[in-house]
Every structure is written in structure tokens, then in C-alpha cells.
């Protein structure tokens, strides 16, 4: 089959990919205050990766991003469970979150919340799951 | 644990060691190891005689499950002791007999004696347990061990058939009996037989009285081979002959008799009990004796004769229960029926045991049990002949043997039925003596057939498998002991009367005795020239004529159609239930998903609609409803058009796109109803699922790629409209029946205060209800791994 030269797609991807990725990170981090969160952020990030997959083929994407998405799923689950189970160490019930305001040198005053760690787990699992499914089905010939 | 408990379970414990004896001492017949135990038990049980004779009851209790009222309470009274002596005594004789009957090197003797001892222990447990649940446990153990013994030669098809049949029938009855026991527990709150008898009056007026009675009787009738459940007994004759002699003449089949006798004080006053026990007993008696004449196999004759004699005892117990109605009489003549029952029970055990053993000897020494091939053995086997003669004459009721005495008492009891002025017996009670008399004539006939067809007539050595000769002395000891008992009890019946019969009567009719009283049991040889004697004479004369003319009238048996037999019914039921359930299964387990979905949804509709109607829960309340805007209307129209057109489009591609459009409209709904998180997620998820749909569509096999419209099916339409309607009705009613305010106010107030977030949805997801989220992401992970596994590993099976 003749390789189609889709230069327009490839060029626009270079711009769009980062915007989408940035937006997905924004949605993930803003989740506690504005619409969004780990789930939709993860979906958005995998949307960016899917765009990458559509533009190039699976092997190229695997070369650009050498990630085993099943490990990503497992890491996400581990983070979520560790965050939940960590509460037990402090003698409070499973899945008790804490938050505190911290003064950081560069970032200034920040409200840190363990719920974000839990959401990070969700975020990673969603990326891992979506990409595993799409790669597996797409790579099956 | 008292010695009594130990005695009851000792056969079970001893059975453990039988295989070691068998394997350790190959040269000694295993039966010798088993023999001492029943002898010891017999002597041990004899030691209870003085106490039961003075109307005392020995009780010993061992806690088992006290919280449920189940304790292993052993109780020795007159009735229990009588049975215990029968079980251990005949058990010892049978084991002795089996030592000579079963070859040491050909048979699996360890199996045989283990089963036999299991049976013996179970039987002792049945008759000596006061707690009904314990009794039931032992009862089932007798069924199981009897199953194992009948199927002892399991390589034979008939043995397996007989074992299965007896198992099914007796366990059926046993379960019914368990039901009866539980009903009794419901009525009295105790499993103890003694206490249940004490509260007999309370039971008599209870609504559950009749069901409990029927359940208990079902147990007794199946075990004791009463009509119509007797059919397992003739087939149980496939067991080795010692087993037939022990189980199917002397002990197991009398467990039902024991049960009826035991429950007489509880149920006996009822007319149902009288009619069922007396009537079924009488029917069994005449039916069994009539069909015994037809048999050509020695053991089959004895099997039917056992059925018939058990019917006799059963009918006597039924009639004897009437004695409870005449408590006021000073000299209660109706107790004679109970006396006759017990006396005949003992007599039957002696003569039937010896007859089975004699039949076993004939089988063992000639190789056949078919009376058409036998004959003229009188000179070859004189001792066996003597044994059979005495046994059979006693069975036929010929003086001077013990069967004569109990038969006379049987007639007396049956004649007295006509004099009872209860249950309208003065009119049709005449049937009792008449039927009993006819049955006795047939009993006489088959007893004669048993002896004279076997031992007299022409000797036909060419038809016999072996060269016949007299049995070894060891095999003859047991039957000789039994027939000498037949003679001793015949001449000195009062040996038994005070020692065994009176205490047993006291146990069956406890309320008829005043304190310190005793039943006056006197069995006379000579009653004087009364009606009973005439009846006996009539039996002998008519029986003799019938026996001589049997070839002439024997043909009537051939005219009885085979299809009417109860065996045909049993086989038909068994086969019918198998094919029937197969057909039923094949009918509704079609294997098609569509049918199962129809069942599920149909059931869903019926159940929910039924509950709604029954509870009258349907309600539409519009007071709490928001205004409907133009946007909602438009979106509803979109969704309705989209989902309805899916049903009518031809192309699958179109339906996928329509489905996508419905999904996007749903996300618009989320926007409209102010759920931004849901809207975002719904949009992305809808996109992904539509692309996955398209992917599946692309991979559809070419063969099935027919672009057709969905077929219309009325059932599908009805069911789907029904489900939709039911769900709508429930949603409306649920909305209209709101009982409490929502708890969401808590989240609104605490999202920022407690959880430092402003997006309430996300805070609920990760903080308030984070546990759900944890497992939802697990579900996602499992799904992705599942897909990965399905696709990547799909060829592994073929390669490996």
C-alpha cells in the first residue's frame, strides 16, 4: 500500500497534542474545584495519545512513548490503594483523606490534599485501561 | 457414656477392626471374629430382663447437641429389650451360619461383616433410642447398610436394581418419618419419646395430629414392606441368604412394626390409626399370601410370606390400638391383639429365620432355588427337611408349633373386632376375621408348596447344578437352634409370657396399667372347642384341598395382567420421572439466549406488576414536579426519534450512528441539568464506545453481513413494551411516594468545610464515597486485562 503523505495532520498534531495534553492535565488538577478530575482527565490524555496513534502507527508511537500501559494500570491501582490504606497507619479509617496548606519556596501557598493522590491513581488507571484496550484491538490483525 | 451406649454403638466401633482382622488373619474366616460380639451383646441384654420384668425402664443419657434437644438417650423397656434380644440373638446365629455359607477365598468377607455389623449397630440404635432424632439417624443407617448388603454382589445387575429399589423406597419413607418427628416436635417441643407419650392428650387435639400420624406411618409402612410399598422386599432377595434371613425376615422389616408399636400410645386412640394400621396390615396380609403361592423361587416365596406375616403383625397392632378405648373395662380383652402381635413377632423371627437358612442350604447344596427344578431332596437332606418342615408348619399355623398359638390368638383378636362398638365396627367389622381367615388358607398353601415341592416328589438331578448332599454341620447349627425355639415356644409359650411379652405390652400400652400392675399373659395350648379352633381346622382342610388342586387353579395367576403389578408401576414411575424431567428440561432449557431473556423479562414484569397491584402502590403525584422547558422537550424528541428509528433501520452502520446520537443527546441532557462532569465523561465515553462499535462492525464475518431489517416478533414486542411500561410505572410511583428528604444537603454544606473542595461531584467520588471509585477503577483494569487476554491469548489453546 502506498504510504500517504499526511503532512498537514502531522504538523497540526505537533501543535494540538500539547494543547490537549495541557488541557487534560488542567482538567485533572482542577478537578477538586471545577468540573473535571482523574477520570475525565485520564480520558482526555488518552485522547491525545489516540490522536498520536491515528497520525502515526503503533510501532512509531511505541518508540516515541515506550510505556507498557498495563504497568500504568497497575501503578494507578497501587497508588489509589496505597492512598486509601495509608490512612490505617495513622489510626483512622480506611480512605480518610487529609489536607493542609503548605508554604512552598517556588509555588507559594498551596493547599495539598491526599484526595489528589487518589485521583492520580484514577487518572493513571484510566489512561492505562483505555490505551491497553485501543492498542490491543488496534494491534490485532 | 454408659455401658448401654457402648453396647449400642459397639457393632459400629467393632466394624472398624473387621478389615484388619480380615487382612491380618487370612487363614481364618472373618466371621469368627465378628461372632463373639453379638453373643456378648445378647448376654448383656439378657441382664436387663429382671428390670423390665418388674416394669422398670433403664435410661441413660449422653449429651450430643443439647442446645437443640438432641441427646443420645438410650432407653431399655420391654419393647426395646425384646427387639434388642432378637437383633443380637438372631445376629449371632446368622453370623455363625454365614461363616459356613460364604466361601472364605471367593467372597469379599471384610465388606460383608462390616456392613452386617453396621446394620446390627444401627438396628440396636433404632430400638433403644429414646430421642427421636437419634432414632431417625440410626433408622437411615439401617437403610444404608441394608442397601450395601443387598448390593453385596454388585457385579450382578439384579442386585443393583434391588438395592436401588429398597433404598429409594425406604429412604422415601424415612424422610416422611423425619417430617412426622419434626411435626411432633412442633406439637410438644421435645424429641424425647417418653415425654411425647406423656403429652399424648395434647397431641391428640392438635391440628397437626393427622399429618404427623400419616408421616410416621409412611415411614413404618415403607420399612416394614406394607402394601403398596412391599415391592422392594422380593427384589431384596438378591442379597446373600444370611442377609435375607437377618434383615428381611427378622430385623429390619420389623423396624416399622417397632415404630408402630412405639407410637401406639401417641396415636392409637385415633380412628385413622386403627383403620390405616389395621386395614393396611390386613390388605398386606392377604395380598402377600395370595402372591406367595404364585412364586417359583424359594426365596421369593419366603419374601412374599414375610410381607404377608408382617401385615398380620401390623393388623394386630392396629386392632390392639382399640384397646385404648376400653380403659374402663376391668378385664380388657382387646389387649389380646397386642399380645398376639408380640408373640407372633417372636415366632415369626424364629421360623422365618430358620426357613431362610433352610432355603439357603438348598440353594448352596443344589445350585438352584427354583422349585420347578427341585424335588425329592428328603432322603438327601433329612436335617434340612426337618428344619423346613417344622418352620413351615409353624408358619402355616399347625399345632403343636408356636405359629399355631399365635395364629389362634390372631383369630381371637380378629373375631373381637366385630364386638367392638366403636368406629361402626359392629357392621362391617366382620370383614376382619373373614379376610384373615382367607389369608391364612393361602399361607397354609404356600407353606406346603415350600416343603413338598422342594423335598418330596421326583428327584431331578439333571436339572441341578451340583450333586446335592446334606449341608455341613456348621451351617445347620443356626437353623436347628431356631427350630428348637419354634418347638420350645410351641410347647412352653409361658416361658415368654412373663419375661418378654408382658413387659413389651406394658411398653406399648403404658396407660392401661395401674401402678404395680402387670399384664396377665397366659397362652393356653388348648382353648376348648371354640370358633378359633374351627377356623384353624377349616384352614387346614381347605388349604390341603387347594394345595392338592393347585395345578388346576394355579392358572388364575396367569390371567392377572402383568401390567397391573405394582412393580410395573414403580418402574414406570422411575422411568417416567426420568424421561419426564428430561423432556421438561429440553422444553425450557432451549439453549437460546432469546428464550432465557424472555423468561427473565417475563418474570420481571409479572413479579413487579404483581407486587405493584397487590400493594396498591401505583400513584402519580405531580405536585413536586419541575416545569418542563422547550429544551427538554426538543431533547426528548431527539432521543425518542433516535431510539425508535434504531428498530426500523436496515443498515447496522445507521443504527450505530443513531445510537451515538442518542448518547450525545444524553450528554446534552447532562448539560441542561447542570452536570458538567457527567456531560464531559459521557461525551468522551460515547465517542469511544461508538468507535468500538464501528470496529466490531468492520470485523463482522462476510457471510452474515446480510443487511436486513429486524424481524418483528409479537412476544418480543409484548415483553419489551411490558418491561418499559413496568419500569415507567415504578419510576412514576417511586417519585410520587418520596418518604424522606434527600441527604444531599450534607454534601452541599460540608464539601468545602470537611473536604476542601468545591467540585461536589469529584469530592464525593474521591473522598466521601471513594471506596466505590476504588473498585470501579479495579473493574476498568479487569476489563482491559480481559480484552488483552482474549485477544492476545486466543490462539494459545490451539497450539498447546
Amino acid at each position: 500500500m502506498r504510504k500517504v503523505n499526511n503532512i498537514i495532520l502531522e504538523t497540526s498534531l505537533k501543535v494540538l497534542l500539547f494543547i490537549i495534553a495541557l488541557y487534560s492535565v488542567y482538567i485533572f488538577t482542577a478537578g477538586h474545584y471545577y468540573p473535571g478530575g482523574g477520570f475525565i482527565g485520564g480520558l482526555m490524555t488518552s485522547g491525545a495519545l489516540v490522536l498520536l496513534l491515528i497520525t502515526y502507527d503503533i510501532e512509531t508511537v511505541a518508540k516515541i512513548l515506550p510505556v507498557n500501559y498495563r504497568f500504568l494500570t497497575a501503578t494507578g491501582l497501587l497508588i489509589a490503594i496505597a492512598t486509601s490504606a495509608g490512612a490505617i497507619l495513622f489510626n483512622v479509617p480506611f480512605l480518610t483523606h487529609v489536607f493542609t496548606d503548605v508554604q512552598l519556596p517556588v509555588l507559594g501557598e498551596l493547599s495539598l490534599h491526599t484526595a489528589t493522590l487518589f485521583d492520580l491513581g484514577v487518572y493513571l488507571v484510566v489512561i492505562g485501561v483505555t490505551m491497553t484496550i485501543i492498542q490491543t484491538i488496534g494491534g490485532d490483525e | 457414656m454408659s455401658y448401654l451406649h457402648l453396647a449400642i454403638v459397639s457393632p459400629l466401633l467393632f466394624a472398624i477392626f473387621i478389615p484388619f482382622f480380615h487382612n491380618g488373619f487370612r487363614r481364618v474366616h472373618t466371621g469368627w471374629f465378628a461372632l463373639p460380639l453379638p453373643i456378648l451383646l445378647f448376654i448383656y441384654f439378657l441382664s436387663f430382663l429382671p428390670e423390665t420384668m418388674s416394669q422398670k425402664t433403664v435410661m441413660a443419657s449422653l449429651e450430643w447437641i443439647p442446645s437443640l434437644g438432641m441427646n443420645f438417650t438410650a432407653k431399655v423397656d420391654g419393647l426395646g429389650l425384646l427387639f434388642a434380644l432378637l437383633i443380637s440373638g438372631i445376629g449371632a446365629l446368622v453370623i455363625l451360619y454365614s461363616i459356613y455359607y460364604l466361601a472364605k477365598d471367593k467372597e469379599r468377607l471384610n465388606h460383608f461383616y462390616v456392613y452386617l455389623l453396621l446394620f446390627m449397630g444401627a438396628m440396636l440404635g433404632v430400638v433403644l433410642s429414646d430421642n427421636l432424632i437419634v432414632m431417625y439417624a440410626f433408622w437411615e443407617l439401617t437403610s444404608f447398610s441394608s442397601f450395601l448388603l443387598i448390593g453385596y454382589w454388585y457385579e450382578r445387575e439384579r442386585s443393583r436394581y434391588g438395592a436401588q429399589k429398597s433404598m429409594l423406597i425406604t429412604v422415601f419413607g424415612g424422610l416422611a418419618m423425619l417430617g412426622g418427628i419434626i411435626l411432633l416436635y412442633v406439637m410438644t417441643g421435645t424429641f424425647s419419646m417418653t415425654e411425647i407419650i406423656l403429652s399424648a392428650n395434647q397431641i391428640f387435639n392438635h391440628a397437626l395430629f393427622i399429618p404427623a400420624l400419616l408421616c410416621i406411618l409412611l415411614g413404618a409402612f415403607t420399612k416394614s414392606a406394607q402394601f403398596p410399598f412391599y415391592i422392594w422386599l422380593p427384589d431384596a432377595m438378591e442379597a446373600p441368604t444370611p442377609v435375607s434371613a437377618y434383615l428381611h425376615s427378622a430385623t429390619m422389616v420389623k423396624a416399622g412394626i417397632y415404630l408402630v408399636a412405639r407410637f401406639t400410645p401417641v396415636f392409637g386412640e385415633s380412628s385413622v390409626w386403627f383403620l390405616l394400621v389395621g386395614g393396611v396390615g390386613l390388605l398386606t396380609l392377604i395380598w402377600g399370601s395370595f402372591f406367595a403361592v404364585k412364586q417359583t423361587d424359594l426365596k421369593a416365596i419366603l419374601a412374599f410370606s414375610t410381607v404377608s406375616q408382617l401385615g398380620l403383625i401390623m393388623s394386630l397392632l392396629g386392632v390392639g390400638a382399640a384397646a385404648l378405648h376400653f380403659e374402663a373395662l376391668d378385664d380388657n380383652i382387646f389387649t389380646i391383639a397386642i399380645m398376639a402381635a408380640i408373640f407372633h413377632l417372636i415366632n415369626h423371627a424364629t421360623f422365618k429365620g430358620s426357613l431362610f437358612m433352610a432355603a439357603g442350604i438348598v440353594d448352596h447344596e443344589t445350585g438352584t432355588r427354583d422349585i420347578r427344578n427341585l424335588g425329592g431332596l428328603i432322603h438327601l437332606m433329612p436335617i434340612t427337611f426337618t428344619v423346613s418342615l417344622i418352620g413351615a408348619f409353624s408358619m402355616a399355623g399347625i399345632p403343636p408349633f408356636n405359629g399355631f398359638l399365635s395364629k389362634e390368638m390372631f383369630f381371637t383378636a380378629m373375631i373381637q373386632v366385630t364386638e367392638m362398638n366403636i368406629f361402626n365396627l359392629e357392621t362391617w367389622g366382620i370383614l376382619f376375621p373373614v379376610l384373615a381367615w382367607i389369608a391364612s388358607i393361602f399361607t397354609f398353601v404356600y407353606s406346603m408348596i415350600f416343603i413338598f415341592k422342594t423335598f418330596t416328589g421326583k428327584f431331578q438331578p439333571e436339572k441341578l447344578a451340583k450333586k446335592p448332599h446334606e449341608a455341613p454341620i456348621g451351617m445347620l447349627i443356626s437353623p436347628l437352634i431356631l427350630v428348637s425355639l419354634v418347638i420350645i415356644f410351641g410347647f412352653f409359650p409361658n416361658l415368654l409370657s412373663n419375661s418378654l411379652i408382658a413387659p413389651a405390652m406394658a411398653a406399648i400400652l403404658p396407660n392401661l396399667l395401674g401402678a404395680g400392675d402387670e399384664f396377665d399373659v397366659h397362652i393356653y395350648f388348648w382353648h376348648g372347642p371354640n370358633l378359633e379352633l374351627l377356623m384353624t381346622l377349616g384352614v387346614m382342610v381347605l388349604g390341603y384341598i387347594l394345595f392338592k388342586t393347585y395345578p388346576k387353579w394355579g392358572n388364575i395367576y396367569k390371567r392377572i395382567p402383568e401390567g397391573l403389578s405394582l412393580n410395573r408401576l414403580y418402574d414406570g414411575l422411575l422411568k417416567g420421572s426420568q424421561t419426564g424431567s428430561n423432556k421438561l428440561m429440553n422444553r425450557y432449557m432451549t439453549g437460546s439466549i432469546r428464550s432465557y431473556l424472555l423468561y427473565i423479562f417475563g418474570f420481571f414484569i409479572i413479579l413487579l406488576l404483581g407486587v405493584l397491584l397487590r400493594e396498591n402502590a401505583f400513584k402519580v403525584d405531580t405536585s413536586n414536579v419541575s416545569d418542563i422547558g422547550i429544551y427538554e422537550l426538543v431533547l426528548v424528541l431527539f432521543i425518542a426519534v433516535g431510539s425508535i428509528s434504531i428498530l426500523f433501520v436496515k443498515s447496522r452502520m445507521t443504527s450505530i450512528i443513531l445510537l451515538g446520537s442518542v448518547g450525545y443527546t444524553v450528554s446534552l441532557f447532562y448539560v441542561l441539568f447542570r452536570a458538567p462532569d457527567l456531560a464531559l465523561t459521557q461525551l468522551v465515553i460515547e465517542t469511544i464506545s461508538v468507535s468500538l462499535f464501528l470496529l466490531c462492525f468492520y470485523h463482522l464475518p462476510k457471510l452474515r453481513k446480510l443487511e436486513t431489517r429486524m424481524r418483528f416478533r409479537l412476544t418480543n414486542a409484548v415483553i419489551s413494551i411490558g418491561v418499559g411500561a413496568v419500569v415507567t410505572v415504578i419510576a412514576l410511583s417511586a417519585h410520587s411516594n418520596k418518604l424522606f428528604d434527600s441527604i444531599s444537603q450534607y454534601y452541599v454544606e460540608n464539601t468545602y468545610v470537611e473536604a476542601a473542595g468545591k467540585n461536589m461531584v469529584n469530592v464525593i467520588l474521591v473522598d466521601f464515597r471513594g471506596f466505590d471509585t476504588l473498585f470501579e477503577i479495579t473493574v476498568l483494569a479487569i476489563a482491559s486485562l480481559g480484552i488483552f487476554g482474549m485477544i492476545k491469548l486466543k490462539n494459545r489453546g490451539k497450539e498447546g
Side-chain angles (χ1 to χ4, degrees):
Chain A
M1 212 172 108
R2 197 168 56 88
K3 182 102 167 75
V4 182
N5 190 357
N6 40 9
I7 183 107
I8 299 178
L9 182 60
E10 282 176 24
T11 312
S12 39
L13 172 77
K14 281 167 193 163
V15 182
L16 283 175
L17 186 67
F18 294 100
I19 297 175
I20 300 173
L22 205 61
Y23 183 60
S24 74
V25 172
Y26 162 74
I27 266 193
F28 161 60
T29 46
H32 225 54
Y33 292 89
Y34 304 101
F39 196 80
I40 188 67
L43 281 176
M44 215 59 103
T45 308
S46 21
L49 295 176
V50 168
L51 199 58
L52 204 60
L53 274 175
I54 291 173
T55 316
Y56 302 104
D57 52 289
I58 288 186
E59 285 76 31
T60 320
V61 176
K63 218 178 284 168
I64 301 170
L65 284 172
V67 180
N68 184 342
Y69 292 104
R70 278 167 286 142
F71 279 122
L72 208 60
T73 312
T75 316
L77 276 177
L78 260 181
I79 292 175
I81 290 171
T83 318
S84 323
I88 297 174
L89 294 180
F90 298 97
N91 223 4
V92 283
F94 187 77
L95 242 174
T96 309
H97 289 305
V98 288
F99 59 89
T100 171
D101 291 326
V102 196
Q103 197 72 36
L104 285 177
V106 185
L107 299 163
E109 190 182 308
L110 263 184
S111 168
L112 292 184
H113 199 310
T114 49
T116 313
L117 280 176
F118 186 80
D119 230 10
L120 179 68
V122 176
Y123 177 76
L124 293 179
V125 168
V126 170
I127 297 176
V129 164
T130 348
M131 292 315 289
T132 309
I133 293 175
I134 289 169
Q135 271 197 347
T136 323
I137 297 180
D140 176 53
E141 284 310 326
Chain B
M1 192 178 216
S2 64
Y3 283 121
L4 185 57
H5 286 112
L6 199 64
I8 293 171
V9 295
S10 62
L12 307 181
L13 297 177
F14 199 69
I16 299 172
F17 299 104
I18 289 290
F20 296 112
F21 286 131
H22 179 73
N23 294 331
F25 304 90
R26 278 281 175 192
R27 291 186 15 212
V28 187
H29 196 286
T30 317
W32 290 115
F33 297 111
L35 184 59
L37 182 73
I39 297 176
L40 281 177
L41 284 175
F42 185 74
I43 295 167
Y44 174 72
F45 285 124
L46 274 182
S47 72
F48 284 98
L49 264 183
E51 289 178 68
T52 55
M53 277 170 74
S54 54
Q55 311 291 338
K56 273 189 215 142
T57 306
V58 182
M59 299 270 269
S61 194
L62 185 71
E63 286 202 338
W64 181 34
I65 314 175
S67 56
L68 296 178
M70 295 178 199
N71 293 315
F72 185 8
T73 310
K75 171 182 172 182
V76 183
D77 60 356
L79 187 64
L81 185 66
L82 166 68
F83 273 92
L85 286 174
L86 274 182
I87 292 160
S88 51
I90 296 188
L93 295 177
V94 161
I95 289 180
L96 179 64
Y97 176 76
S98 70
I99 291 173
Y100 290 90
Y101 188 83
L102 294 171
K104 188 167 59 188
D105 34 6
K106 284 188 217 146
E107 305 284 356
R108 296 174 305 273
L109 291 176
N110 48 346
H111 293 219
F112 183 81
Y113 288 104
V114 166
Y115 300 159
L116 201 71
L117 285 175
L118 275 186
F119 174 79
M120 190 186 288
M123 237 5 247
L124 285 175
V126 167
V127 297
L128 294 178
S129 295
D130 187 55
N131 190 289
L132 288 177
I133 291 291
V134 176
M135 198 270 283
Y136 171 73
F138 281 118
W139 181 279
E140 291 299 12
L141 190 54
T142 63
S143 294
F144 287 123
S145 47
S146 151
F147 167 80
L148 292 169
L149 282 166
I150 297 169
Y152 177 64
W153 287 310
Y154 55 78
E155 64 279 6
R156 297 185 190 167
E157 203 263 330
R158 292 295 304 170
S159 294
R160 297 197 301 271
Y161 172 78
Q164 187 205 35
K165 195 176 190 179
S166 77
M167 182 76 160
L168 286 177
I169 294 179
T170 52
V171 169
F172 160 72
L175 279 177
M177 190 185 87
L178 179 63
I181 290 171
I182 292 168
L183 287 180
L184 280 174
Y185 182 75
V186 169
M187 287 188 270
T188 61
T190 175
F191 283 123
S192 160
M193 193 67 230
T194 320
E195 289 172 38
I196 286 176
I197 291 175
L198 288 180
S199 48
N201 278 332
Q202 175 199 339
I203 297 171
F204 189 69
N205 298 316
H206 201 283
L208 291 174
F209 177 78
I210 294 290
L213 185 157
L214 292 179
C215 283
I216 296 280
L217 274 189
L218 209 53
F221 285 172
T222 49
K223 199 76 160 182
S224 275
Q226 297 296 294
F227 188 87
F229 307 111
Y230 71 87
I231 49 170
W232 65 267
L233 206 147
D235 282 304
M237 290 303 129
E238 294 301 320
T241 304
V243 173
S244 309
Y246 189 38
L247 274 69
H248 308 125
S249 73
T251 52
M252 182 172 98
V253 286
K254 288 189 176 137
I257 304 270
Y258 168 79
L259 197 70
V260 167
R262 195 45 106 195
F263 276 99
T264 296
V266 182
F267 295 118
E269 269 186 79
S270 144
S271 61
V272 181
W273 178 268
F274 172 83
L275 286 179
L276 274 179
V277 178
V280 170
L282 212 57
L283 182 61
T284 314
L285 164 65
I286 192 155
W287 187 281
S289 63
F290 182 66
F291 281 98
V293 179
K294 175 193 173 189
Q295 307 304 320
T296 53
D297 179 274
L298 284 182
K299 277 173 86 176
I301 297 178
L302 291 178
F304 276 95
S305 127
T306 304
V307 169
S308 137
Q309 302 278 321
L310 290 169
L312 186 155
I313 300 173
M314 199 64 97
S315 68
L316 278 173
L317 284 176
V319 170
L324 295 172
H325 288 268
F326 298 94
E327 287 174 46
L329 292 185
D330 275 344
D331 185 20
N332 195 337
I333 52 167
F334 301 105
T335 54
I336 192 172
I338 298 283
M339 184 162 82
I342 299 165
F343 190 38
H344 196 72
L345 180 89
I346 304 170
N347 293 344
H348 179 249
T350 55
F351 67 68
K352 193 52 65 68
S354 64
L355 283 176
F356 264 112
M357 289 176 185
I361 290 171
V362 170
D363 184 18
H364 202 258
E365 304 304 334
T366 63
T368 181
R369 297 195 308 251
D370 195 323
I371 53 171
R372 287 168 299 192
N373 299 338
L374 292 167
L377 296 177
I378 183 165
H379 300 296
L380 294 161
M381 304 174 151
I383 305 176
T384 315
F385 167 70
T386 316
V387 167
S388 311
L389 185 80
I390 297 172
F393 273 22
S394 176
M395 180 159 76
I398 297 172
F401 306 111
N402 58 4
F404 166 70
L405 299 171
S406 47
K407 189 64 72 75
E408 291 270 278
M409 284 156 70
F410 170 58
F411 284 147
T412 315
M414 287 298 150
I415 291 167
Q416 274 165 4
V417 170
T418 54
E419 293 165 19
M420 291 181 190
N421 47 0
I422 46 167
F423 316 140
N424 289 329
L425 280 176
E426 56 274 11
T427 48
W428 56 271
I430 189 73
L431 269 178
F432 276 73
V434 171
L435 287 178
W437 186 66
I438 298 172
S440 300
I441 295 173
F442 282 113
T443 307
F444 188 89
V445 175
Y446 69 68
S447 303
M448 297 305 113
I449 289 179
F450 182 86
I451 320 168
F452 293 113
K453 295 267 176 178
T454 311
F455 292 100
T456 62
K458 215 164 109 259
F459 180 51
Q460 301 157 299
E462 71 281 357
K463 286 188 179 171
L464 302 180
K466 296 178 181 172
K467 197 170 149 30
H469 55 80
E470 186 58 273
I473 180 69
M475 219 187 230
L476 289 168
I477 296 173
S478 302
L480 280 175
I481 292 175
L482 284 173
V483 287
S484 45
L485 286 177
V486 168
I487 299 170
I488 292 169
F489 294 157
F491 282 104
F492 309 104
N494 289 318
L495 273 181
L496 292 172
S497 53
N498 283 329
S499 56
L500 286 174
I501 299 178
M505 283 174 74
I508 298 175
L509 304 168
N511 302 326
L512 292 192
L513 276 185
D517 267 355
E518 239 179 79
F519 280 106
D520 185 25
V521 179
H522 279 295
I523 301 166
Y524 302 103
F525 213 94
W526 175 248
H527 296 266
N530 53 8
L531 185 58
E532 291 91 312
L533 189 69
L534 287 176
M535 282 168 83
T536 306
L537 283 175
V539 165
M540 289 198 225
V541 172
L542 268 175
Y544 183 72
I545 296 170
L546 276 182
F547 170 61
K548 278 291 166 196
T549 55
Y550 176 68
K552 295 199 179 89
W553 61 272
N555 285 331
I556 62 158
Y557 286 108
K558 290 187 186 132
R559 291 174 190 241
I560 301 169
E562 198 61 34
L564 277 182
S565 82
L566 289 167
N567 275 321
R568 186 65 69 87
L569 185 72
Y570 165 84
D571 290 337
L573 265 179
L574 210 60
K575 206 155 172 274
S577 62
Q578 274 172 6
T579 52
S581 58
N582 259 341
K583 271 185 192 155
L584 187 70
M585 284 295 211
N586 290 339
R587 182 68 60 81
Y588 79 91
M589 301 290 271
T590 52
S592 137
I593 298 279
R594 179 180 171 262
S595 342
Y596 302 151
L597 288 178
L598 280 185
Y599 306 148
I600 293 170
F601 286 125
F603 192 70
F604 175 85
I605 296 172
I606 293 167
L607 197 70
L608 292 185
L609 214 56
V611 171
L612 270 180
L613 289 177
R614 218 187 71 154
E615 302 291 324
N616 210 7
F618 181 69
K619 184 170 143 197
V620 179
D621 177 13
T622 50
S623 63
N624 196 19
V625 173
S626 320
D627 292 330
I628 303 169
I630 183 78
Y631 295 119
E632 283 99 334
L633 273 180
V634 170
L635 287 183
V636 164
L637 201 69
F638 257 72
I639 286 195
V641 169
S643 25
I644 291 172
S645 23
I646 291 177
L647 299 176
F648 296 100
V649 295
K650 232 179 169 184
S651 144
R652 290 202 169 95
M653 184 74 98
T654 324
S655 42
I656 291 168
I657 291 166
L658 279 171
L659 195 65
S661 79
V662 170
Y664 290 129
T665 323
V666 168
S667 72
L668 277 183
F669 259 118
Y670 290 143
V671 172
L672 203 60
F673 291 144
R674 276 162 285 163
D677 296 83
L678 288 183
L680 274 172
T681 315
Q682 170 71 20
L683 269 175
V684 181
I685 288 291
E686 192 61 39
T687 313
I688 291 179
S689 50
V690 166
S691 11
L692 287 178
F693 261 129
L694 288 172
L695 205 62
C696 294
F697 172 73
Y698 178 76
H699 285 293
L700 270 185
K702 295 268 185 297
L703 274 177
R704 301 289 303 274
K705 233 182 192 169
L706 293 167
E707 297 267 298
T708 47
R709 192 165 290 156
M710 208 168 61
R711 264 172 59 208
F712 179 78
R713 279 204 172 113
L714 189 65
T715 39
N716 289 8
V718 168
I719 293 272
S720 56
I721 291 172
V723 169
V726 165
V727 172
T728 312
V729 164
I730 287 180
L732 284 177
S733 309
H735 183 263
S736 308
N737 281 323
K738 258 186 194 154
L739 298 177
F740 308 105
D741 289 337
S742 163
I743 56 163
S744 57
Q745 197 54 37
Y746 171 83
Y747 294 124
V748 173
E749 281 162 10
N750 289 299
T751 302
Y752 191 71
V753 183
E754 296 277 339
K758 285 179 180 160
N759 179 357
M760 200 171 94
V761 174
N762 201 46
V763 168
I764 290 176
L765 280 181
V766 298
D767 203 337
F768 290 128
R769 309 286 304 270
F771 206 57
D772 297 350
T773 312
L774 188 59
F775 288 99
E776 272 150 25
I777 56 178
T778 315
V779 167
L780 284 178
I782 291 170
S784 74
L785 289 182
I787 291 171
F788 182 79
M790 273 196 297
I791 289 176
K792 295 283 177 187
L793 309 177
K794 65 183 170 188
N795 288 327
R796 190 134 321 154
K798 287 175 202 161
E799 288 160 10

